[in-house]
């Protein structure tokens, strides 16, 4: 399941010139600052007219963090075993006091929105996001840009978007980093593929296979006492999860839905039901006793941001599994950076995030725009997220680990995502990979159609594959580690890279050295010894990696 966003492309210059005279004018004495990251990615699009002035739009302001450099230092020190700050994570109140927007910042943003005529103003618990509603005319006046109707020439989809980068007064720009939601070009669909093949036809993986092959059977942990969060844009039926648990004799913890911005899809799940149930059931395969919190948000940029901010401000969960994403250019810089700040907040509080790296090799935008240009998936590319790639797992007749290769089933079934971010610079722990920008994935696990996950969803048994299964598997392993080590572990990437670059690499990881992620005619990367942009450091050896974490 991937959160998909359609991008549209630049409006021809003559069209922009024609629109310029219609942009609401600011007072001559009011200095304006452009929110450059908030420009809509208008690629492959044609403007078809103005949005109706009365059309209601839900958007959000992302407020600036304070002491950003100090935050980066803290995030490094809290994962440095030699530092006195090692694993001394912050409470939400401590984070807000040191790094969060002040109440005065919030008041300034809310006042700006109030003067613009916005309604339904809702401030996130950590004061980092302000969600609001307004008419198109009100938002055009507030952000000094027209909002037009567009037609995407690749997908054939119609959407609305701001014609130019929004601007605000210099006073407001001092507290506002970005605005998200001035467009609805995001389309969230699921790419997880399924078949009804029985386990003896396709070597589907089940809890006994996963526990044995990935070496977690020897851990004296079940996930008890740990809370797992799930990022979802659709609903699920508890009866399906219960059927999975009872079939495999799993003693499961509670499953609770957490509505965000009023969203709750459980009474009538849509096409994404298979993803939500896949995520929960894969975590149960290794760590059933954990308590699950399923965050469900509206399928919008504002909804997405509100969900990640709520996860951080609630500080309920210890681990987060993310199987919805978008290629970075589709996500847009404003949304990506805003969500990444929310994730950094959760990381500082000790939350561990795991996200699917995508199912289109190095061409992550392919299913959204038809582009074969190299691109990576967000939020897997966020520096505070562990990006999870895919492999094909082979086991022995006794379910023991035999081998793995990079997942590449071709264009029909997909391939593990990987590549280099165009939005985020390389974090310090990735410096040995000789790159100035963030590389993904970091790790990997089973994701191939030939070794798919056998789950119960929408009233029947299905074999499902994709990195959407690999991400919750790693989240499940992290859940076990929270129990083993007695608390939150935060961003595990510094630990993974330290192990990978050290003498204990073979103790903690299965190094996947064969295969590639070439897809859609674009040459990708080739797996090899050590780290690569196909499978990262590889998959976990449960007991071995557990002994190296702490």
């Amino acid at each position: 399941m991937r959160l998909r966003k359609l991008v549209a492309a630049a409006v021809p210059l003559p069209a922009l010139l024609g629109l310029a005279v219609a942009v609401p004018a600011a007072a001559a004495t009011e200095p304006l600052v452009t929110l450059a990251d908030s420009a809509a990615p208008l690629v492959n699009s044609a403007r078809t007219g103005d949005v109706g002035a009365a059309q209601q739009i839900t958007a959000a302001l992302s407020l600036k963090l304070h002491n950003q450099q100090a935050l980066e230092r803290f995030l490094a020190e809290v994962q440095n075993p030699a530092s006195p700050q090692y694993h001394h994570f912050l409470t939400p109140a401590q984070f807000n006091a040191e790094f969060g927007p002040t109440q005065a910042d919030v008041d300034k943003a809310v006042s700006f929105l109030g003067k613009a005529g916005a309604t339904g103003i809702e401030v996130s618990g950590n004061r980092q996001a302000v969600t609001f509603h307004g008419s198109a005319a009100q938002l055009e006046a507030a952000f000094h840009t027209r909002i037009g109707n567009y037609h995407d020439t690749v997908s054939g989809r119609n959407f609305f978007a701001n014609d130019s980068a929004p601007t605000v007064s210099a006073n407001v720009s001092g507290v506002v980093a970005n605005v998200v939601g001035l467009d609805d070009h995001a389309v969230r669909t699921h790419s997880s593929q399924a078949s009804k093949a029985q386990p003896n036809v396709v070597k589907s993986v089940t809890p006994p296979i996963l526990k044995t092959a990935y070496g977690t059977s020897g851990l004296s942990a079940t996930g008890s006492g740990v809370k797992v969060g799930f990022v979802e844009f659709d609903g699920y039926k508890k009866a399906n999860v219960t059927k999975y648990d009872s079939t495999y004799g799993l003693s499961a913890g509670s499953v609770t839905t957490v509505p965000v911005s009023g969203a709750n899809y459980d009474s009538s799940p849509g096409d994404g039901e298979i993803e939500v149930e896949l995520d929960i059931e894969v975590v149960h395969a290794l760590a059933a006793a954990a308590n699950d919190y399923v965050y469900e948000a509206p399928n919008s940029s504002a909804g997405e941001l509100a969900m990640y901010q709520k996860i951080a401000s609630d500080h309920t969960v210890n681990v987060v599994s993310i199987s919805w994403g978008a290629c970075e250019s589709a996500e847009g810089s404003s949304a990506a950076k805003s969500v990444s700040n929310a994730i950094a907040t959760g990381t500082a509080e000790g939350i561990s995030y795991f996200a699917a790296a995508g199912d289109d090799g190095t061409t992550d935008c392919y299913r959204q725009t038809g582009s074969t240009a190299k691109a990576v998936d967000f939020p897997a590319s966020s520096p505070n997220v562990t990006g999870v790639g895919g492999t094909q797992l082979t086991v022995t007749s006794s379910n023991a680990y035999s081998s793995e290769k990079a997942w590449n089933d071709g264009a029909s079934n997909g391939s593990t995502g990987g590549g280099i971010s165009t939005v985020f610079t390389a974090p310090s722990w990735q410096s040995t990979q000789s790159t100035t920008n963030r590389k993904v994935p970091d790790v990997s696990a089973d994701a191939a159609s030939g070794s798919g996950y056998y789950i119960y969803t929408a009233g029947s048994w299905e074999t499902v594959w994709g990195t959407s299964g690999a991400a919750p598997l790693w989240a499940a392993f992290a859940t076990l580690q929270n129990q083993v080590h007695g608390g939150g572990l935060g961003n595990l990437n510094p630990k993974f890279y330290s192990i990978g670059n050290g003498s204990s690499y073979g103790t903690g990881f299965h190094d996947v050295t064969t295969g590639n992620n070439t897809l859609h005619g674009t040459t990708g990367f080739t797996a090899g010894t050590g780290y690569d942009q196909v499978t990262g450091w590889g998959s976990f050896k449960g007991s071995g990696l557990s002994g190296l974490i702490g």
Side-chain angles (χ1 to χ4, degrees):
M1 178 83 58
R2 316 298 307 132
L3 173 155
R4 295 298 183 191
K5 292 193 176 183
L6 292 176
V7 270
V11 179
L13 181 59
L16 287 178
L17 293 176
L19 291 170
V21 296
V23 174
T29 58
E30 181 185 10
L32 296 177
V33 176
T34 300
L35 301 177
D37 284 330
S38 298
L42 302 175
V43 182
N44 298 327
S45 69
R47 195 178 195 275
T48 59
D50 292 334
V51 164
Q55 180 171 328
Q56 289 294 305
I57 295 172
T58 300
L61 297 180
S62 177
L63 304 191
K64 292 182 177 179
L65 296 177
H66 289 262
N67 306 320
Q68 188 75 50
Q69 290 184 334
L71 173 58
E72 294 302 320
R73 288 195 298 272
F74 173 78
L75 290 174
E77 291 297 304
V78 79
Q79 294 296 356
N80 180 1
S83 170
Q85 291 181 304
Y86 182 59
H87 282 188
H88 288 178
F89 298 109
L90 304 178
T91 66
Q94 290 171 328
F95 185 96
N96 289 353
E98 187 67 25
F99 305 113
T102 65
Q103 188 58 50
D105 294 340
V106 173
D107 292 343
K108 189 176 293 185
V110 170
S111 175
F112 162 71
L113 292 174
K115 291 176 182 177
T119 60
I121 298 173
E122 182 179 350
V123 181
S124 65
N126 56 16
R127 303 194 294 257
Q128 291 184 32
V130 184
T131 305
F132 60 93
H133 313 296
S135 69
Q138 290 170 331
L139 300 191
E140 286 177 334
F143 297 103
H144 309 97
T145 177
R146 282 294 187 196
I147 299 176
N149 287 314
Y150 285 84
H151 178 76
D152 186 274
T153 58
V154 173
S155 69
R157 180 176 177 270
N158 296 320
F159 63 95
F160 68 80
N162 48 301
D163 297 330
S164 59
T167 61
V168 294
S169 68
N171 182 48
V172 174
S173 75
V175 300
V176 173
N178 291 300
V179 56
V180 299
L182 295 184
D183 63 80
D184 73 339
H185 67 276
V187 174
R188 291 160 175 87
T189 60
H190 61 87
S191 62
S192 294
Q193 300 187 61
S195 73
K196 292 186 181 295
Q198 297 299 309
N200 61 337
V201 178
V202 172
K203 186 59 175 178
S204 305
V205 293
T206 60
I209 293 174
L210 292 168
K211 289 176 182 178
T212 303
Y214 284 122
T216 64
S217 297
L219 296 176
S220 58
T222 60
S224 179
V226 185
K227 298 175 181 178
V228 182
F230 298 87
V231 166
E232 307 293 355
F233 295 92
D234 211 325
Y236 64 101
K237 293 292 187 183
K238 284 188 178 180
N240 292 315
V241 178
T242 300
K243 173 71 172 179
Y244 180 86
D245 293 338
S246 62
T247 298
Y248 293 106
L250 305 175
S251 299
S254 62
V255 182
T256 303
T257 298
V258 184
V260 179
S261 300
N264 187 328
Y265 305 106
D266 297 343
S267 62
S268 182
D271 289 342
E273 177 181 359
I274 189 173
E275 179 60 60
V276 186
E277 290 165 358
L278 169 69
D279 294 346
I280 297 170
E281 291 174 17
V282 170
V283 167
H284 282 199
L286 297 188
N291 291 325
D292 303 328
Y293 294 80
V294 184
Y295 286 79
E296 297 179 10
N299 289 334
S300 67
S301 295
E304 178 187 25
L305 178 59
M307 174 156 48
Y308 281 98
Q309 292 292 13
K310 184 167 178 58
I311 290 171
S313 61
D314 284 356
H315 196 211
T316 298
V317 301
N318 312 99
V319 178
V320 176
S321 176
I322 309 165
S323 291
W324 302 71
C327 71
E328 287 182 331
S329 63
E331 177 74 12
S333 293
S334 61
K337 291 179 179 179
S338 298
V339 168
S340 193
N341 276 347
I343 291 172
T345 303
T347 300
E349 297 165 358
I351 301 173
S352 303
Y353 296 81
F354 294 84
D359 299 349
D360 282 284
T362 59
T363 55
D364 197 68
C365 292
Y366 182 80
R367 299 186 203 195
Q368 301 153 68
T369 68
S371 172
T372 56
K374 289 190 175 182
V376 298
D377 208 68
F378 176 85
S381 63
S382 173
N384 291 295
V385 171
T386 298
V388 184
T391 67
Q392 178 158 357
L393 173 68
T394 301
V395 298
T396 68
S397 58
S398 60
N399 295 335
Y401 182 94
S402 177
S403 66
E404 278 176 287
K405 63 180 180 180
W407 168 45
N408 192 337
D409 287 337
S412 59
N413 288 338
S415 175
T416 179
I420 302 174
S421 171
T422 60
V423 177
F424 301 102
T425 57
S428 59
W429 39 264
Q430 209 171 45
S431 60
T432 54
Q433 272 58 61
S434 303
T435 181
T436 56
N437 279 26
R438 167 90 163 102
K439 286 183 176 179
V440 288
D442 301 298
V443 295
S444 57
D446 182 51
S449 61
S451 53
Y453 294 84
Y454 196 56
I455 67 167
Y456 194 79
T457 179
S460 65
W461 289 98
E462 305 273 1
T463 296
V464 186
W465 60 91
T467 55
S468 290
L473 190 68
W474 266 94
F477 174 74
T479 298
L480 298 178
Q481 296 312 298
N482 269 251
Q483 182 182 356
V484 169
H485 298 288
L489 298 171
N491 184 3
L492 281 163
N493 284 339
K495 177 66 69 175
F496 293 156
Y497 280 73
S498 175
I499 294 169
N501 288 314
S503 58
S504 298
Y505 175 36
T507 301
F509 288 93
H510 299 287
D511 187 9
V512 182
T513 60
T514 60
N516 61 67
N517 56 4
T518 293
L519 201 66
H520 305 308
T522 299
T523 302
F525 299 93
T526 300
T529 302
Y531 178 85
D532 55 68
Q533 289 161 265
V534 186
T535 61
W537 290 109
S539 62
F540 56 86
K541 293 182 177 179
S543 296
L545 186 55
S546 178
L548 299 172
I549 293 175

